[in-house]
Amino acid sequence: MEDSRIIELYWERNEAAIVETDRKYGDFCRRIARNILSVAEDAEECVNDVYHRAWNAIPPQRPEHLRVWLGRVTRNNAVNLYHKNRAQKRYAGMEQLLDELAECIPSAQSVEGEIEGRELTGLINAWLSSLPQDDRILFLRRYWNGEALNALEKECGVSHGRMAKRMYRLRQNLKQSLEKEGYSL
């Protein structure tokens, strides 16, 4: 079913909208949630919350790109659930992703940090735009969607060492780009 028709079902308050959303994007949303949360039950809870959020947000919202909107909501819900349960030390996958990025992105913990965070977002977006499409997609799949390195290796047909080196170079490139703009750890 086309996204526009699924959105119309939400606007009509027809419960088939959730069924069709799950049919078309359920696996995509579950994959994002599992990549971040690592626990299947938590990922399923997260995806159910996404469908609830979609039901409450559409209308009045009318997402232009339903897949992207659902992916963002799923990721945000998963990260929130991760933080909520973090004290239980249940999510080694997300810890690894955050540790990898900690080498190149400074922490924002104050009002000044909040302002810098917005500025930093703009710089990261500009950096991503400057990358070749393959690198940009790879970086986002790893650090936004939280996809496992071994899954990316298989899909790209490269060895673990080669993929790890490519990701390291991307992180170093980001770090250098941010340092050039005055950001450092």
Side-chain angles (χ1 to χ4, degrees):
M1 181 177 286
E2 293 293 319
D3 288 357
S4 59
R5 180 63 189 131
I6 294 172
I7 291 170
E8 285 306 315
L9 289 173
Y10 279 106
W11 276 78
E12 294 167 4
R13 307 313 289 162
N14 186 333
E15 291 180 15
I18 294 172
V19 173
E20 293 300 327
T21 301
D22 186 58
R23 183 175 293 137
K24 187 166 183 181
Y25 295 115
D27 290 341
F28 169 70
C29 292
R30 277 186 273 288
R31 187 172 55 248
I32 291 172
R34 271 193 311 266
N35 288 341
I36 294 169
L37 298 171
S38 306
V39 178
E41 293 81 10
D42 288 348
E44 195 60 40
E45 176 187 339
C46 176
V47 172
N48 287 335
D49 288 346
V50 169
Y51 297 153
H52 184 257
R53 170 93 188 271
W55 183 260
N56 289 331
I58 308 170
Q61 292 183 29
R62 188 179 289 272
E64 196 170 320
H65 303 285
L66 186 59
R67 177 184 167 96
V68 173
W69 188 87
L70 290 167
R72 187 183 73 234
V73 172
T74 302
R75 183 186 185 284
N76 290 343
N77 281 1
V79 168
N80 289 340
L81 186 57
Y82 163 80
H83 286 301
K84 179 180 162 190
N85 295 328
R86 184 176 181 193
Q88 297 173 8
K89 301 284 183 188
R90 295 170 62 183
Y91 303 121
M94 188 64 171
E95 286 292 332
Q96 181 182 356
L97 292 173
L98 293 174
D99 287 346
E100 289 176 13
L101 286 175
E103 300 170 3
C104 54
I105 298 179
S107 174
Q109 295 294 328
S110 64
V111 174
E112 292 142 357
E114 180 71 27
I115 293 168
E116 285 180 6
R118 291 183 188 146
E119 195 175 290
L120 181 60
T121 299
L123 292 172
I124 292 172
N125 285 337
W127 174 78
L128 283 168
S129 296
S130 74
L131 293 177
Q133 184 177 2
D134 290 348
D135 285 341
R136 181 175 49 248
I137 290 170
L138 187 64
F139 190 88
L140 289 173
R141 287 181 64 188
R142 175 72 175 137
Y143 296 111
W144 182 259
N145 292 354
E147 293 187 33
L149 206 53
N150 61 0
L152 296 172
E153 293 161 8
K154 286 179 186 174
E155 191 172 314
C156 294
V158 298
S159 69
H160 176 74
R162 189 167 180 191
M163 182 59 72
K165 186 175 270 192
R166 185 173 178 187
M167 297 310 298
Y168 175 77
R169 286 184 181 145
L170 284 170
R171 289 192 311 271
Q172 288 302 109
N173 183 302
L174 172 59
K175 183 178 179 180
Q176 290 170 358
S177 176
L178 294 176
E179 286 175 344
K180 206 182 327 180
E181 296 295 329
Y183 284 90
S184 63
L185 295 178

